[in-house]
Amino acid sequence: MAQPATEPAKGSCSTPPVHTEDAVTSVHPVDEKLHPSRLVPAALQHIAAMYAGVVTPPLIIGQACGLDIAARTRLIAASLLIAGVATILQTIGVKGVVGNRLPFVNAASSAGIAPILAIAETNSKGHQLPAIYGAVMVAGVFCLAVGPFFGRLLRFFPPLVTGVVITLIGVTLMPVPVGWAQGGDKSAADFGAMKNLALAAFTLVVILLIQRFGKGFVKQVALLFGLLVGTLAAVPFGMADFSGIKSAPLAALPTPFAFGAPVFQPAAILSLCIVMLVLMTESSAGMLALGEICDRRADARTITRGLRTDGIATLVGPVFGGFPTSAFAQNVGVVSLTRVRSRYVVAVAGGALLVLGAFPVLGAVVSLVPMPVLGGAGIVLFGSIAVSGIRTLSEAGLDDSSNIILVAVALGAGIIPLAAPTFYAEFPAWAQTVLGSGISAGAIVAVLLNLFFHHLGTRGRTAPALKSS
């Protein structure tokens, strides 16, 4: 018979027994607090990946509205600040209320640029931004009102559907790094020049070599090293622009309603509410994708809290000069590529955005990275997103003919805007906004076909091919 355990004598140096519950308890990678030596470089990768995307909407919209350099700088600073606040709110959040608590980046979305420019064209100079901001604020309220329903619709997004959407996120975003690799500015005389393509290819090769021969953490920050080496290689050839540092003010905090009080125009509001639906679809897809990558699947409540963050940032952002806020797919690619899944890494990146927004001269340092260098790194980023989608599809029962047809048609619908940008030119404006985004078009088709094949008229039977759904 086993002898009963005796209590160690007082003063004994023996190690106390380890309870089984304590032994198996571990921190999930999403909640892991990394050492600064790992956390800071990982956060820098996220900043490098997102920076161009964050400043692109205010830069383009500011130029379209005829703002001078100083005003455009304020607009960019405001965009960085709002992105920082939204990202921190998303990653840290208030448990059960707001924030999806995933390594998720929120910032002004480029998807809203086209309709915002249309609003600018219908208003006279000086009245453009007030009309835009009025519509954006109402779109934020719309997101807050509709967001909870997106979470409840999660059962209509099985791996079969999310795999299609994740794949399309990577595929439809690929023209972005391709444009960066050519120089970024299509109106520039050297757009597509061999020197730009060579620099992009050099950056890509550096990243590939680090991935092949690097060890441990070095491999995880391959993207950051690629950007650094690519930028240094660009300096001798005069391809790194230092003018931004010279002209940027040291500090520039945004002033509420600096561009005028918001004006509410029905047509502008309707167009941006439609845009917000597209952004909500893309944001939900991003959360689902990130949940798969992080091994913490995004449930209905997670998506609702995430969309609530989008709505708050979109509503409050225009007060300081922000635009419609949504997920940043390129940072999903960073998580997928590096496998650093800690949300605190992205929270630190959000804090850095706040600093960059408050001190534009620091933001100008980050903007030193030439567009071709970003292009070479972006090919890896966006391609890795598509790979994540393919991995999800591989678990979604593609041995079933109905599922094959569903994926084929949804991918086709998503690629149409990419292959033929004018395909929907004769459609109503609202339809062009929705279908003109390959991500939203593919998502809508995938959801509808999933309903048709696996929900309508299927009561009482289970489709074997949809076990993972």
Side-chain angles (χ1 to χ4, degrees):
M1 180 180 294
Q3 296 297 319
T6 57
E7 184 178 339
K10 291 183 180 180
S12 172
C13 296
S14 61
T15 304
V18 178
H19 296 289
T20 304
E21 184 180 354
D22 296 334
V24 300
T25 299
S26 60
V27 177
H28 192 281
V30 170
D31 300 317
E32 185 181 3
K33 296 181 180 179
L34 304 179
H35 188 274
S37 62
R38 294 183 61 202
L39 186 148
V40 173
L44 285 175
Q45 283 198 136
H46 280 282
I47 295 168
M50 77 173 80
Y51 187 83
V54 174
V55 302
T56 294
L59 189 60
I60 294 175
I61 295 168
Q63 290 174 336
C65 294
L67 301 182
D68 57 23
I69 295 178
R72 290 202 301 269
T73 300
R74 291 203 305 271
L75 209 61
I76 291 172
S79 188
L80 288 166
L81 281 168
I82 296 301
V85 172
T87 299
I88 292 173
L89 191 61
Q90 195 72 273
T91 52
I92 304 301
V94 178
K95 194 170 184 180
V97 180
V98 67
N100 57 33
R101 297 167 71 84
L102 290 169
F104 199 76
V105 172
N106 274 74
S109 173
S110 296
I113 291 177
I116 286 176
L117 294 182
I119 296 172
E121 290 176 2
T122 58
N123 287 271
S124 60
K125 188 174 181 179
H127 299 278
Q128 297 162 315
L129 284 175
I132 291 168
Y133 286 140
V136 172
M137 292 179 76
V138 176
V141 175
F142 175 75
C143 179
L144 290 172
V146 177
F149 298 100
F150 266 70
R152 296 173 188 172
L153 294 175
L154 187 62
R155 65 191 183 94
F156 297 115
F157 289 85
L160 191 66
V161 173
T162 58
V164 168
V165 176
I166 297 166
T167 303
L168 283 174
I169 289 176
V171 172
T172 60
L173 285 174
M174 196 54 71
V176 175
V178 170
W180 290 346
Q182 296 176 89
D185 184 4
K186 293 183 179 180
S187 63
D190 63 348
F191 182 77
M194 186 55 68
K195 64 177 184 179
N196 293 334
L197 301 180
L199 184 57
F202 173 75
T203 303
L204 177 58
V205 169
V206 169
I207 294 172
L208 293 176
L209 289 174
I210 295 173
Q211 279 289 324
R212 172 63 179 84
F213 299 106
K215 302 290 185 181
F217 183 63
V218 173
K219 291 183 67 173
Q220 292 182 337
V221 294
L223 188 71
L224 182 61
F225 279 127
L227 291 169
L228 177 61
V229 174
T231 301
L232 292 175
V235 173
F237 299 97
M239 298 176 67
D241 185 8
F242 292 88
S243 62
I245 295 179
K246 297 177 182 178
S247 61
L250 179 62
L253 290 175
T255 304
F257 300 117
F259 300 98
V263 175
F264 303 98
Q265 299 176 348
I269 289 171
L270 178 60
S271 65
L272 283 194
C273 282
I274 294 173
V275 168
M276 203 66 219
L277 281 173
V278 175
L279 296 183
M280 291 168 71
T281 302
E282 294 182 357
S283 194
S284 297
M287 282 183 265
L288 291 168
L290 199 55
E292 294 288 340
I293 293 169
C294 295
D295 296 322
R296 178 180 281 180
R297 290 196 173 185
D299 57 17
R301 293 179 180 178
T302 301
I303 290 179
T304 297
R305 293 195 303 270
L307 292 177
R308 189 173 292 141
T309 306
D310 288 356
I312 292 172
T314 302
L315 171 60
V316 177
V319 175
F320 301 99
F323 297 102
T325 299
S326 184
F328 257 38
Q330 52 263 55
N331 293 88
V332 176
V334 172
V335 176
S336 176
L337 182 67
T338 64
R339 302 303 296 171
V340 178
R341 294 170 282 178
S342 171
R343 58 192 172 99
Y344 295 102
V345 168
V346 177
V348 169
L353 288 178
L354 283 174
V355 176
L356 292 173
F359 299 92
V361 68
L362 297 178
V365 173
V366 179
S367 66
L368 283 176
V369 180
M371 280 294 178
V373 174
L374 285 174
I379 290 173
V380 179
L381 277 178
F382 299 141
S384 66
I385 297 174
V387 171
S388 296
I390 295 170
R391 185 170 60 236
T392 302
L393 284 173
S394 68
E395 304 171 356
L398 290 185
D399 54 339
D400 182 271
S401 60
S402 297
N403 292 348
I404 294 174
I405 293 295
L406 186 157
V407 173
V409 175
L411 286 176
I415 293 174
I416 284 175
L418 190 66
T422 60
F423 187 84
Y424 298 108
E426 299 300 320
F427 282 60
W430 65 267
Q432 292 184 43
T433 301
V434 176
L435 299 177
S437 166
I439 300 170
S440 60
I444 291 170
V445 171
V447 169
L448 291 177
L449 290 181
N450 183 55
L451 286 171
F452 176 70
F453 282 118
H454 303 301
H455 288 270
L456 298 179
T458 60
R459 181 177 297 178
R461 67 181 181 87
T462 304
L466 285 178
K467 290 179 181 178
S468 60
S469 300

